[in-house]
Amino acid sequence: MTAVPFLPKNAPFAAEDINVLNQLVQRSTPLQRSWLSGFLAGLDAAHGQSVGAVAPAAPAPRPRQPLTILYGSESGNAETLALKAKKLAAKQNFDVRVVDMADADLATLAKAKNLIVYISTWGEGDPPQRAADFYKAILSEDAPRFDGVRFAVLALGDTAYVNFCQTGREVDKRLEALGGIRAADRVDLDLDFQKAAAAWTDKALETIAPAEPAGSATVVHVDFKAPVAADEDDEPRFTAENPAEAEISELINLNGTGSTRETWHAEFAVEDPGFIYKPGDAIGLFPENDPELAEDLLKAVGLAGDAALKKKLVESYDITTLSRPLVDAYAKLTGSKGVAKLLEEGELARFAADRQLIDLFESFPEKLAGDQFLKLLRPLPGRLYSVASSLKAHPGEAHLLVGAVRWSSHGRARKGVTSTYLADRCKVGGKARIYVKPNRHFGLPADGDRPIIMIGAGTGVAPYRGFIEERAETGAKGKSWLFFGERNFSNDFLYQLEWQDHLASGTLSRIDVAFSRDQPEKIYVQTRLWERRAELQKWLDEGAHIYVCGDEKGMAKDVDVTLARILAETANGDEEAGRAKLKDLAKAGRYQRDVY
């Protein structure tokens, strides 16, 4: 059968309808498609749309409006929104350009006529890493005036953090202070941002755009003979809004029996050929909550034994995150003075330290109706993990490396939602919902002859397994060097046999390990980097790309400092020059980080 291209994403149908139509068209015969075409033409003719009718003259196009779309992104959400807005704006005849804050020039932006900003807040109120320099510059006293620039800001964040959407709020306030004209009100969106963001973008573009000429209409022309190719900014087919149902085909704890860690290698199989990712991307996994915790919550609010409500809590709602908006809503709903007191300055931070939602309801118990309880909760989000495989090496599969999170605090045993869902309740042969989150700023160099230096500790080694598998499959000739750290050699050397096989084949050129608990003094990956600094500098001189994956506040921060020190040695120990060189590597795409 002749291959038929998929309907494009801009086809005038809902996403679920496009999926249904694609399935139908893909399995149809040429005869069936010909018949359907004639049938639809006849249907239009029956309603007065005569095939021979002369089409009305096209309305005069409205004047093109210049539009700059600026984004600052950590996990890729703000970037994805910016790229979606670009496509939508282009269809509306905007002269549009998209700018990453990492590449933004303030003086140029200050001359923009129209500006839409998408920016996320990272951690406790910090800007995204790639936006840090821009954020510092726009808040400085030397920032240029934005007089007359019409702007709109969409802020992304997570209500689990006290300084929710802080970066977006500051940018919005600063643009106004610099003379900008707010064209649309800022919105602050939580993890379930997709629908609200789409509606806000539509409104912002409508506000900025001049009115359509009377009687005008948008006409979309589709060339069905042309091949359907994915743009750089195309979304994957399987997203958080449209996850794939995958079979769990492997689930193995990689740590030895004497380990203090619990690290699970999980393999997911997806039959649909549209499930596509590249090494460096993330895979989102939708979890289910611990049924015991769901039952404890129901008891706390006087709803014990409601099986239907418990099922909803397990499958669909975030039942762990203790956020200020939730506490505020609970206080207003119940009139509790004790809960209201938590909203006073500093009180919530003190109470919430290492506590979860269950602690709020048990500390300030109130009886609630089922619908009242659900309205307090936000949807259960997926959890992103760096993909630990290459699609070329494992067609139709995605592998993840997940550390199970367990701890105790305030007299209660706690569990990481997604990690213990995978470790405790998922079984081989079972099903899970997964999706792809592209990471355009963490990936192998296009030139396979380029050397790569990969630095990671614990589960931070995950993307490098995919990198090396990809290079083995493509026959890349570039050298590769892995720095890996964990606690103990005997129990925690993740993927040890695979690394040894890659060393033997030459795909992995070198590995340096740091096991912190195997000797009296602690040894970490940054220790090994400093010890190997002369050779590492030689690799950099040869054009090597450096990658760091892991905990930002721990390993990644220390590695960043160490790399700057190493680069400073070539500038007579000037630490400022070392940091500048590291920034230059980042701007050139040769220093990439995937940190959390």
Side-chain angles (χ1 to χ4, degrees), residues 29 35 54-55 128 154 170 196 212 215 277 302 315 319 401 464 518:
T29 66
W35 182 92
V54 178
L154 184 146
E170 292 298 327
E212 287 278 359
Y277 65 86
E315 296 178 354
I319 62 172
L401 187 64
Y464 307 139
D518 279 350

Side-chain angles (χ1 to χ4, degrees), residues 347-363:
E347 288 299 316
L348 183 56
R350 281 189 284 272
F351 176 80
D354 218 6
R355 282 190 171 97
Q356 295 175 315
L357 196 55
I358 184 66
D359 299 279
L360 175 70
F361 293 125
E362 287 187 341
S363 299

Side-chain angles (χ1 to χ4, degrees), residues 278-321:
K278 64 175 179 58
D281 286 347
I283 299 295
L285 171 62
F286 278 110
E288 292 186 357
N289 287 303
D290 181 357
E292 291 183 7
L293 178 59
E295 188 61 43
D296 287 346
L297 275 167
L298 292 174
K299 288 178 184 177
V301 297
L303 293 167
D306 189 328
L309 192 56
K310 180 179 177 180
K311 185 174 187 294
K312 289 181 180 179
L313 293 185
V314 168
E315 296 178 354
S316 304
Y317 289 91
D318 181 348
I319 62 172
T320 60
T321 302

Side-chain angles (χ1 to χ4, degrees), residues 314-428:
V314 168
E315 296 178 354
S316 304
Y317 289 91
D318 181 348
I319 62 172
T320 60
T321 302
L322 181 55
S323 67
R324 187 177 189 87
L326 186 145
V327 174
D328 183 51
Y330 188 47
K332 290 175 180 176
L333 175 65
T334 62
S336 168
K337 292 182 180 179
V339 178
K341 189 175 181 180
L342 292 179
L343 298 170
E344 296 176 3
E345 187 173 353
E347 288 299 316
L348 183 56
R350 281 189 284 272
F351 176 80
D354 218 6
R355 282 190 171 97
Q356 295 175 315
L357 196 55
I358 184 66
D359 299 279
L360 175 70
F361 293 125
E362 287 187 341
S363 299
F364 304 95
E366 297 282 351
K367 289 189 176 181
L368 302 177
D371 60 337
Q372 290 178 320
F373 183 40
L374 291 182
K375 285 179 181 178
L376 293 173
L377 308 178
R378 67 179 185 176
L380 180 61
R383 172 72 160 86
L384 293 171
Y385 296 95
S386 300
V387 68
S389 56
S390 160
L391 198 58
K392 289 184 175 67
H394 307 279
E397 296 182 7
H399 301 176
L400 301 183
L401 187 64
V402 180
V405 178
R406 308 178 195 274
W407 78 103
S408 296
S409 66
H410 302 286
R412 175 179 285 274
R414 318 277 180 172
K415 300 177 182 179
V417 175
T418 310
S419 65
T420 58
Y421 159 71
L422 191 68
D424 298 345
R425 297 187 295 283
C426 286
K427 306 295 180 186
V428 171

Side-chain angles (χ1 to χ4, degrees), residues 94-140:
F94 279 98
D95 181 9
V96 60
R97 69 189 188 104
V98 175
V99 181
D100 185 341
M101 285 183 181
D103 306 317
D105 177 70
L106 268 183
T108 302
L109 286 175
K111 298 175 184 176
K113 183 177 180 181
N114 302 301
L115 178 65
I116 293 181
V117 182
Y118 296 91
I119 185 166
S120 63
T121 295
W122 191 47
E124 298 295 346
D126 298 321
Q129 299 168 77
R130 291 175 56 80
D133 288 346
F134 170 87
Y135 188 66
K136 181 179 179 181
I138 199 170
L139 294 183
S140 73

Side-chain angles (χ1 to χ4, degrees), residues 73-91:
S73 193
E74 187 62 44
S75 64
N77 290 330
E79 181 179 16
T80 297
L81 290 179
L83 295 172
K84 282 184 176 180
K86 172 191 173 184
K87 288 185 175 182
L88 187 60
K91 291 177 186 176

